[in-house]
């Protein structure tokens, strides 16, 4: 639950520090004083979209920070999974905005994503504002109410997992059938491509070898001439003008003086090594020159093979034989799937039907439990609405099963039906209920599911819209009871009957300074509460009668 709220430079708030308590608290203040601003700031902590326009004019940075007491709410798994520090007692969430539009978030001083803020926020706070009354018109919200009361989350999770597997198989079947239709139309051409590649009998490295051989064959005479010329320069027929002959003469000269000139022996050895190496090179040149032969027939054969490879590469838009071989494998597999498509599709369809039976069985179990719990919800909702000024209320939970339309939540369609009058049949609550009636229905639903959801903090933002008098007091008592269940309930209200029942009372007010209008929030003591509630009763002019009425409201509460 919220222990401390800190706000800097958000909208009309320059600086705010306020402590909150467990139990039932109320926040009051004139329209426009800044109550919605506080809700907006808390929304930032819950991962809502940041807007630099919400910053206080002229400020370079905005900060919203909330300290939560989480000691009784088993949230360790979230902190472990996301690698956040956690002492088991406290969680501090901070959101920072800059005038440049940048936003940063931190959980226990560790940078966090907005997705992580939303995930932890959903486990810490539920803000019920007026627009959430529209949820009563949404079937998925009504369905979720039954699931929460039924407390069959394990069953629902199992169903969703099996349904996801079923949908995956259905998708695979659809894709396989579409592929089979398309491929069968192209089967002849596909088979021609496979046969063409297979007939080519391609080998991974042959292209480079063929290209090198073709180059040699095309320049055979030139290569042969150059090799012979090089060999001749190294060694001739013995006229002494060749390189080896001159090297041999030099070697003889050095050997002749080696006995009288010691350095000549080392030089002679080095020269002898050179002679041996050059002699080997000369022999290799002659050998390679003899091997090189101009062969027009071989050149034609090599070029034909290369043309086959180049044609296939151009046709299939690839550059290497390796890519052609990979394509050949892919096409062969595709052709095999076409050949065996009926068997493959049959196997998929059989798997899907088996999976569907599992899904339907779980959906049936969900539907049964929903129908059972619907009766409990009907009874409890009528019991909760009767004292809220609806003595003739009828509340029904319509659960219509449609096994032919499986969804991610089963095959049930849930609709809340309502009638506050003696005559007439219950109709969809969103179509028949007035604003005040919807507010009472939503509060009753929240109270009904509060125990199962076990949220630390629930904030009601003007849920009292459309009600007054004794009904407002009864709604306040419901919120007070919710706050007594190890929970923090905060109600932003304009009604003195609700404000009087709060265990803690905070007032939001505006202050005009020389250059700005600022919003503040302060806790009220008993004397200040009397004055605030008196103003809520009588308006700006404070009368003794209003003060007496305010005291009666405050001190008669139980």
């Amino acid at each position: 639950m919220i222990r401390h709220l800190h706000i800097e430079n958000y909208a009309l708030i320059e600086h705010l520090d306020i402590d909150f308590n467990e139990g039932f608290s109320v926040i009051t203040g004139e329209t426009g004083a800044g109550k919605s601003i506080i809700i907006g700031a808390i929304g930032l902590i819950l991962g809502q979209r940041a807007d630099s326009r919400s910053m206080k004019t002229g400020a370079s940075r905005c900060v919203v920070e909330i300290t939560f007491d989480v000691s009784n709410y088993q949230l360790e798994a979230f902190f472990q999974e996301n690698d956040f520090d956690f002492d088991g007692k406290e969680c501090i969430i901070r959101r920072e905005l800059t005038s440049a539009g940048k936003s940063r978030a931190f959980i226990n001083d560790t940078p966090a994503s907005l997705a992580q803020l939303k995930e932890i926020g959903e486990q810490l706070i539920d803000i019920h504002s007026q627009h959430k009354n529209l949820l009563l018109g949404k079937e998925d919200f009504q369905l979720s109410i039954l699931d929460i009361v039924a407390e069959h989350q394990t069953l629902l999770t199992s169903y969703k997992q099996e349904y996801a597997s079923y949908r995956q198989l259905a998708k695979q079947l659809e894709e396989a059938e579409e592929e089979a239709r398309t491929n069968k139309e192209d089967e002849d051409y596909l088979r021609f491509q496979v046969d063409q590649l297979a007939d080519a009998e391609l080998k991974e490295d042959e292209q480079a070898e063929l290209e090198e051989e073709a180059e040699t064959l095309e320049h055979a005479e030139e290569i042969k001439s150059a090799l012979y010329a090089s060999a001749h320069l190294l060694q001739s027929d013995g006229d002494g003008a060749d390189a080896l002959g001159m090297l041999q003469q030099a070697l003889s000269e050095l050997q002749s003086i080696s006995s009288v000139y010691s350095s000549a022996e080392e030089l002679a050895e080095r020269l002898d090594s050179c002679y041996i190496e050059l002699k080997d090179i000369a022999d290799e040149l002659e050998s390679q020159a003899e091997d090189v032969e101009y062969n027009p027939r071989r050149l034609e054969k090599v070029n034909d093979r290369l043309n086959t490879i180049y044609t296939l590469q151009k046709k299939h838009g690839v550059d290497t034989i390796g890519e052609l071989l990979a394509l050949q494998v892919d096409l062969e597999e595709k052709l095999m799937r076409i050949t065996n498509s009926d068997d493959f599709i049959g196997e998929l369809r059989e798997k899907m039907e088996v999976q569907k039976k599992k899904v339907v069985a779980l959906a049936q179990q969900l539907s049964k439990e929903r129908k059972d719990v619907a009766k409990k919800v009907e009874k409890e909702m009528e019991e909760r609405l009767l004292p809220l000024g609806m003595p003739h209320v009828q509340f029904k939970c319509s659960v219509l099963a449609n096994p032919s339309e499986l969804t991610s939540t089963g095959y049930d369609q849930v609709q809340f039906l309502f009638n506050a009058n003696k005559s007439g049949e219950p109709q969809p609550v969103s179509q028949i209920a007035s604003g005040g009636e919807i507010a009472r229905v939503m509060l009753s639903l929240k109270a009904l599911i509060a125990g199962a959801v076990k949220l630390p903090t629930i904030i009601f933002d003007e849920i009292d819209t459309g009600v007054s008098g004794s009904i407002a007091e009864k709604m306040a008592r419901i919120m007070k009871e919710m706050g007594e269940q190890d929970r923090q309930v905060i109600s932003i209200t304009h009604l003195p009957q609700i404000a009087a029942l709060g265990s803690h009372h905070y007032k939001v007010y505006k202050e005009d300074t020389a250059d700005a209008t600022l919003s503040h929030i302060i806790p009220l003591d008993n004397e200040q509460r009397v004055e605030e509630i008196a103003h809520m009763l009588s308006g700006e002019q404070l009368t003794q009668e209003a003060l007496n009425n305010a005291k009666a409201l405050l001190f008669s509460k139980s």
Side-chain angles (χ1 to χ4, degrees):
M1 57 188 69
I2 298 174
R3 285 304 184 199
H4 185 79
L5 171 63
H6 170 79
I7 303 175
E8 291 179 32
N9 300 321
Y10 182 79
L12 299 180
I13 298 175
E14 183 175 62
H15 189 277
L16 181 151
D17 276 287
I18 192 75
D19 292 326
F20 287 94
N21 300 281
E22 62 185 29
F24 180 41
S25 299
V26 294
I27 299 176
T28 61
E30 295 180 1
T31 301
K35 299 185 295 297
S36 61
I37 293 174
I38 294 174
I39 295 296
I42 294 174
L44 288 179
I45 292 296
L46 302 182
Q48 292 180 8
R49 184 175 177 273
D51 188 342
S52 59
R53 290 176 298 179
S54 61
M55 291 180 57
K56 187 176 181 297
T57 303
S60 60
R61 189 181 74 140
C62 163
V63 178
V64 179
E65 181 178 284
I66 299 182
T67 302
F68 293 92
D69 178 353
V70 295
S71 54
N72 296 324
Y73 296 99
Q74 291 78 49
L75 299 175
E76 292 84 354
F78 169 82
F79 292 90
Q80 290 175 359
E81 290 170 5
N82 294 279
D83 199 24
F84 292 122
D85 291 336
F86 185 56
D87 62 4
K89 298 179 181 178
E90 190 174 79
C91 173
I92 301 175
I93 302 179
R94 185 171 75 255
R95 186 86 179 270
E96 298 179 359
L97 311 179
T98 68
S99 55
K102 293 183 178 180
S103 169
R104 297 193 302 167
F106 302 86
I107 296 177
N108 288 344
D109 285 330
T110 299
S113 66
L114 293 188
Q116 289 169 326
L117 287 194
K118 288 179 180 178
E119 183 180 351
I120 187 64
E122 288 174 354
Q123 301 178 65
L124 293 173
I125 303 178
D126 174 25
I127 297 179
H128 181 88
S129 54
Q130 292 183 53
H131 77 272
K132 283 199 173 181
N133 289 337
L134 299 175
L135 291 173
L136 275 177
K138 296 184 179 296
E139 287 184 7
D140 55 349
F141 171 75
Q142 299 176 30
L143 180 66
S144 70
I145 294 292
L146 294 189
D147 287 335
I148 290 171
V149 178
E151 296 183 336
H152 54 202
Q153 188 58 47
T154 301
L155 174 61
L156 186 58
T157 300
S158 296
Y159 171 83
K160 289 183 176 181
Q161 291 172 345
E162 297 295 346
Y163 177 78
S165 298
Y166 165 69
R167 289 304 307 157
Q168 182 64 28
L169 285 169
K171 182 180 178 182
Q172 290 176 6
L173 177 61
E174 183 180 351
E175 290 174 349
E177 290 174 337
E178 178 60 29
E179 184 181 35
R181 281 193 296 270
T182 303
N183 288 343
K184 282 183 178 178
E185 294 172 2
D186 301 331
E187 184 176 1
D188 291 342
Y189 179 62
L190 190 64
R191 194 175 299 281
F192 166 74
Q193 289 180 303
V194 170
D195 291 343
Q196 190 179 43
L197 287 168
D199 291 344
E201 296 181 346
L202 298 170
K203 296 173 184 169
E204 184 75 41
D205 301 322
E206 70 171 316
Q207 183 174 351
E209 295 172 357
L210 288 169
E211 288 173 342
E212 184 178 357
E213 184 179 358
E215 191 76 14
T216 299
L217 289 168
E218 287 175 357
H219 300 85
E221 293 184 358
E222 180 183 345
I223 294 170
K224 195 177 188 74
S225 176
L227 289 172
Y228 272 131
S230 299
H232 181 73
L233 288 172
L234 290 176
Q235 65 178 7
S236 63
D237 294 334
D239 60 4
D242 58 280
L244 283 172
M246 289 186 287
L247 197 59
Q248 185 64 47
Q249 290 178 14
L251 181 58
S252 297
E253 293 292 337
L254 288 174
Q255 288 174 340
S256 68
I257 63 171
S258 61
S259 60
V260 295
Y261 184 64
S262 59
S263 296
E265 184 175 357
E266 181 186 351
L267 291 170
E269 290 176 357
R270 292 168 62 189
L271 202 58
D272 187 46
S273 297
C274 293
Y275 177 82
I276 294 171
E277 179 65 18
L278 283 176
K279 184 70 170 63
D280 286 344
I281 292 173
D283 293 341
E284 182 69 21
L285 286 170
E286 285 188 345
S287 175
Q288 290 193 18
E290 291 174 0
D291 291 341
V292 174
E293 180 181 1
Y294 176 65
N295 188 337
R297 288 186 178 179
R298 176 59 185 168
L299 178 59
E300 182 180 2
K301 188 175 181 181
V302 169
N303 282 334
D304 287 345
R305 181 62 174 169
L306 284 172
N307 285 336
T308 298
I309 293 171
Y310 294 152
T311 300
L312 288 172
Q313 288 175 341
K314 184 177 181 181
K315 176 180 179 179
H316 296 288
V318 298
D319 299 318
T320 67
I321 287 182
E323 290 174 299
L324 283 174
L325 290 171
L327 176 65
Q328 182 180 346
V329 171
D330 182 61
L331 292 174
E332 287 172 348
E333 291 177 353
K334 203 170 185 180
L335 192 58
M336 187 180 296
R337 286 200 300 273
I338 293 173
T339 305
N340 302 322
S341 62
D342 290 342
D343 293 339
F344 178 67
I345 288 172
E347 289 175 6
L348 268 181
R349 186 174 286 114
E350 185 177 342
K351 286 181 181 178
M352 190 189 76
E353 289 303 320
V354 170
Q355 186 63 26
K356 184 177 181 179
K357 288 179 181 178
K358 290 183 184 179
V359 174
V360 170
L362 290 172
Q364 288 173 339
Q365 191 175 347
L366 279 172
S367 185
K368 180 182 182 304
E369 293 189 10
R370 286 166 178 160
K371 288 176 180 177
D372 289 342
V373 84
K375 298 173 184 176
K376 175 184 176 182
V377 170
E378 290 173 352
K379 182 174 182 295
E380 290 197 23
M381 283 297 292
E382 288 183 355
E383 288 176 353
R384 291 177 183 277
L385 290 169
L386 279 171
L388 294 179
M390 300 183 189
H392 308 293
V393 68
Q394 299 176 67
F395 190 92
K396 302 296 179 184
C397 298
S398 170
V399 182
L400 299 177
N402 188 354
S404 64
E405 292 189 14
L406 290 168
T407 71
S408 60
T409 55
Y411 55 53
D412 293 319
Q413 293 180 330
V414 175
Q415 194 169 51
F416 290 164
L417 306 176
F418 172 85
N419 184 18
N421 303 313
K422 279 186 177 182
S423 59
E425 293 296 320
Q427 298 181 41
V429 63
S430 60
Q431 298 176 18
I432 192 174
S434 66
E437 288 169 341
I438 285 179
R440 282 172 273 176
V441 169
M442 284 300 293
L443 178 60
S444 298
L445 285 171
K446 290 281 183 178
L448 176 66
I449 65 174
V453 176
K454 295 181 174 61
L455 272 171
T457 298
I458 300 176
I459 300 176
F460 291 107
D461 185 8
E462 299 185 9
I463 197 171
D464 50 33
T465 300
V467 299
S468 59
S470 63
I471 303 303
E473 180 181 344
K474 290 171 182 176
M475 291 177 69
R477 292 193 182 280
I478 291 174
M479 289 185 276
K480 189 175 181 66
E481 289 172 8
M482 292 172 66
E484 291 170 351
Q485 301 169 12
D486 191 26
R487 181 181 292 108
Q488 183 181 57
V489 177
I490 300 172
S491 176
I492 297 173
T493 182
H494 289 290
L495 299 181
Q497 294 86 352
I498 292 179
L501 276 167
S503 301
H504 312 279
H505 192 155
Y506 302 85
K507 178 181 179 180
V508 178
Y509 67 95
K510 285 197 299 189
E511 175 192 21
D512 291 323
T513 65
D515 54 359
T517 298
L518 303 177
S519 283
H520 304 278
I521 182 171
I522 56 171
L524 301 182
D525 58 25
N526 283 338
E527 185 176 344
Q528 291 169 321
R529 289 189 72 183
V530 169
E531 290 188 7
E532 174 67 6
I533 292 172
H535 279 298
M536 296 173 75
L537 287 166
S538 65
E540 185 176 350
Q541 186 66 36
L542 195 61
T543 66
Q544 187 60 48
E545 184 180 0
L547 288 169
N548 292 337
N549 288 338
K551 289 177 183 178
L553 276 175
L554 273 170
F555 303 125
S556 65
K557 68 181 187 294
S558 56

